[in-house]
């Protein structure tokens, strides 16, 4: 089949655009991430004198870095429409966010759609696969206090102990509010067959668009972060003192990501922008943590039910192009999530100016010493 001149021009334009976007992303990373690290090195005395202010500044810088990642997709036309509950209403409270996992682009989508949720982005902690520790963003997540979890049965018990210790050490000392995790423990395409076999063996529903979640990390988070009285335990004097400082985890936000035509966006597409502009749909449902059972068997059933509901939500979306209306309502209302191009340009400009500033500083000290 002969290729027309118009088709050749279109392919050439797409390749050139992808190359330019990749070059910009590399330059962006080379200035933004080292600048983040250097700012925090310089601010170490503040960390000793006023830890709260230090982590406030770190959170602002962290949000700006995530905004830069969001801008790569936003400027490529990868936008987000939101459905269900309005999570802005609980943005000041502590919440655990449960998300289905289809591709590497899921994280980028969350980085985008949470940008306009107040202080959430700068006060959130991420649970992610340990492989991300070795990416360009790994040093940022390490400093911010995210937790990298190793998958596999051989590591499971040890990782849960480490997660509990990590939460106790970093979550409240750094004033974290939201914690984000992917309970499925891997991408849909990698876990679907195993999950379906497990479901068949244990007489559980057959799922196509999600997989059965794993309990471990969710249970540890609830046990560690929920205030004692929320679990139904008597709150003694120590608990009352703790409660005066923090109300503990108050909400579980069940988040469902749906891609147009069921085709997930991966990180390569997000960076290179070779896919046509598309809308990703994100559905939220908020549960009070007091309604979440604490006992392992009951919690497992509750968590399974959330992903069975996700299956129904996604089935409806792929059949109709929209999520179903909430129970008791006749129409589902969507909200288009927007970002300010002026703000994104300002953040990107600040990153490059910071890179130039640090370069000049190093050049000055280099000439002074040598």
């Amino acid at each position: 089949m002969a290729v027309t001149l118009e088709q050749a021009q279109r392919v050439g334009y797409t390749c050139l655009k992808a190359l330019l976007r990749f070059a910009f992303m590399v330059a962006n990373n080379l200035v933004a991430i080292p600048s983040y690290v250097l700012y925090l090195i310089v601010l170490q005395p503040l960390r000793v004198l006023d830890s709260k202010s230090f982590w406030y500044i770190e959170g602002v810088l962290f949000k700006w870095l995530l905004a830069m990642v969001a801008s790569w997709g936003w400027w490529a036309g990868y936008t987000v429409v939101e459905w269900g509950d309005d999570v802005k209403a609980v943005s000041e409270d502590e919440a655990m966010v449960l998300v289905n996992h289809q591709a590497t682009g899921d994280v980028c989508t969350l980085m985008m759609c949470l940008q306009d949720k107040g202080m959430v982005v700068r006060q959130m902690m991420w649970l992610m696969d340990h492989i991300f520790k070795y990416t360009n963003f790994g040093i940022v997540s390490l400093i911010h206090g995210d937790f990298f979890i190793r998958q596999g049965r051989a590591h499971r018990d040890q990782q849960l102990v480490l997660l509990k210790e990590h939460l106790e050490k970093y979550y409240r000392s750094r004033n974290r509010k939201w914690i984000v995790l992917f309970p499925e423990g891997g991408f849909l395409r990698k876990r679907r067959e195993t999950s379906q076999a497990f479901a068949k063996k244990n007489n559980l529903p057959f799922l196509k668009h999600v997989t059965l979640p794993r309990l471990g990390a969710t249970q540890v988070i609830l046990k560690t972060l929920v205030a004692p009285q929320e679990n139904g335990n008597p709150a003694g004097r120590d608990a009352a003192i703790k409660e005066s400082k923090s109300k503990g985890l108050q909400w579980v936000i069940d988040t469902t990501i749906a891609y147009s035509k069921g085709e997930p966006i991966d990180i390569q597409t997000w960076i290179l922008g070779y896919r046509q502009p598309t809308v990703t749909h994100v559905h939220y449902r908020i549960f009070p943590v007091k309604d979440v059972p604490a006992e392992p068997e009951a919690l497992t059933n509750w968590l399974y039910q959330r992903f069975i509901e996700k299956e129904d939500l996604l089935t409806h979306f792929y059949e109709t192009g929209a999520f179903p209306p909430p129970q008791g309502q006749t129409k589902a209302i969507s909200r288009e999530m927007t970002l300010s191009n002026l703000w994104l340009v300002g953040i990107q400009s600040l990153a490059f100016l910071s890179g130039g500033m640090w370069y000049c500083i190093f050049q000055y000290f280099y000439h002074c010493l040598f």
Side-chain angles (χ1 to χ4, degrees):
M1 183 177 179
V3 178
T4 65
L5 178 60
E6 183 180 352
Q7 290 173 324
Q9 288 175 334
R10 189 182 302 117
V11 171
Y13 171 75
T14 301
C15 292
L16 178 61
K17 183 178 71 171
L19 182 62
L20 291 174
R21 283 177 58 89
F22 181 74
F24 176 79
M25 184 276 295
V26 171
N28 199 180
N29 277 267
L30 288 175
V31 295
I33 293 176
S35 293
Y36 166 89
V37 174
L38 290 169
Y39 277 127
L40 296 182
I41 290 174
V42 171
L43 289 171
Q44 285 303 303
L46 178 63
R47 182 177 180 179
V48 176
L49 297 172
D50 187 353
S51 176
K52 185 177 180 179
S53 295
F54 174 86
W55 289 112
Y56 178 90
I57 295 170
E58 184 279 333
V60 172
L61 295 175
F62 184 78
K63 179 177 180 177
W64 289 353
L65 285 178
L66 267 58
M68 293 177 202
V69 177
S71 72
W72 305 340
W74 181 257
W75 288 333
Y78 305 149
T79 56
V80 172
V81 167
E82 298 177 309
W83 303 74
D85 295 333
D86 184 2
V87 296
K88 287 183 180 179
V90 299
S91 62
E92 298 296 319
D93 300 330
E94 291 188 26
M96 175 173 63
V97 184
L98 307 176
V99 192
N100 61 314
H101 208 10
Q102 300 177 67
T104 48
D106 297 341
V107 175
C108 300
T109 296
L110 289 174
M111 288 180 178
M112 175 186 286
C113 65
L114 297 179
Q115 281 291 324
D116 68 343
K117 307 299 186 293
M119 297 185 292
V120 162
V121 173
R122 69 175 182 81
Q123 292 182 299
M124 71 196 319
M125 179 181 286
W126 297 75
L127 264 66
M128 57 188 76
D129 193 281
H130 79 288
I131 196 67
F132 284 99
K133 186 189 297 184
Y134 307 105
T135 65
N136 59 313
F137 210 77
I139 183 64
V140 174
S141 291
L142 280 170
I143 294 172
H144 184 70
D146 296 329
F147 184 76
F148 298 95
I149 191 165
R150 292 181 65 90
Q151 302 295 340
R153 186 173 299 177
H155 306 287
R156 192 169 301 161
D157 292 340
Q158 180 193 29
Q159 290 298 297
L160 296 179
V161 172
L162 293 175
L163 173 59
K164 183 178 187 299
E165 293 174 350
H166 185 88
L167 293 173
E168 291 173 340
K169 185 175 182 180
Y170 297 117
Y171 189 81
R172 298 234 159 78
S173 67
R174 299 185 180 184
N175 195 30
R176 299 296 175 242
K177 293 289 187 180
W178 283 23
I179 183 164
V180 181
L181 69 153
F182 301 90
E184 291 165 293
F187 298 138
L188 174 64
R189 68 180 185 276
K190 293 183 177 180
R191 291 209 62 244
R192 179 160 41 198
E193 187 176 339
T194 303
S195 175
Q196 289 173 346
F198 178 85
K200 184 177 181 180
K201 183 178 179 181
N202 292 274
N203 197 29
L204 294 168
F206 183 87
L207 306 176
K208 293 172 54 181
H209 306 304
V210 295
T211 65
L212 290 169
R214 293 171 177 173
L215 176 67
T218 304
Q219 187 176 31
V220 168
I221 291 168
L222 290 172
K223 282 187 174 182
T224 308
L225 300 183
V226 173
Q229 61 271 29
E230 297 287 3
N231 272 329
N233 299 326
R237 180 176 178 274
D238 292 341
I241 293 173
K242 183 178 179 181
E243 173 69 7
S244 67
K245 298 179 180 179
S246 171
K247 294 181 180 179
L249 201 69
Q250 294 172 268
W251 309 98
V252 175
I253 303 174
D254 187 26
T255 304
T256 304
I257 298 176
Y259 293 98
S260 178
K261 300 179 182 179
E263 299 174 355
I265 300 176
D266 54 29
I267 188 64
Q268 298 95 319
T269 306
W270 194 270
I271 292 170
L272 300 177
Y274 51 78
R275 183 168 165 177
Q276 290 298 309
T278 185
V279 178
T280 300
H281 297 258
V282 181
H283 183 279
Y284 305 105
R285 189 177 177 194
I286 302 173
F287 295 87
V289 78
K290 62 183 178 61
D291 294 342
V292 180
E295 295 301 318
E297 184 176 351
L299 178 58
T300 299
N301 292 333
W302 184 89
L303 198 58
Y304 280 176
Q305 189 58 40
R306 301 289 72 77
F307 277 76
I308 292 169
E309 289 175 1
K310 285 181 184 292
E311 177 76 12
D312 294 338
L313 285 170
L314 290 168
T315 298
H316 188 280
F317 177 84
Y318 293 136
E319 289 175 353
T320 66
F323 283 111
Q327 190 172 6
Q329 298 184 25
T330 58
K331 184 178 180 181
I333 299 176
S334 62
R335 305 175 297 275
E336 186 176 352
M337 185 266 162
T338 60
L339 290 174
S340 166
N341 285 315
L342 182 62
W343 181 66
L344 293 176
V345 170
I347 296 299
Q348 294 284 6
S349 300
L350 181 61
F352 284 100
L353 288 171
S354 295
M357 179 193 73
W358 289 115
Y359 176 78
C360 292
I361 289 173
F362 280 116
Q363 284 287 93
Y364 174 77
F365 280 106
Y366 177 81
H367 288 300
C368 287
L369 293 173
F370 301 102

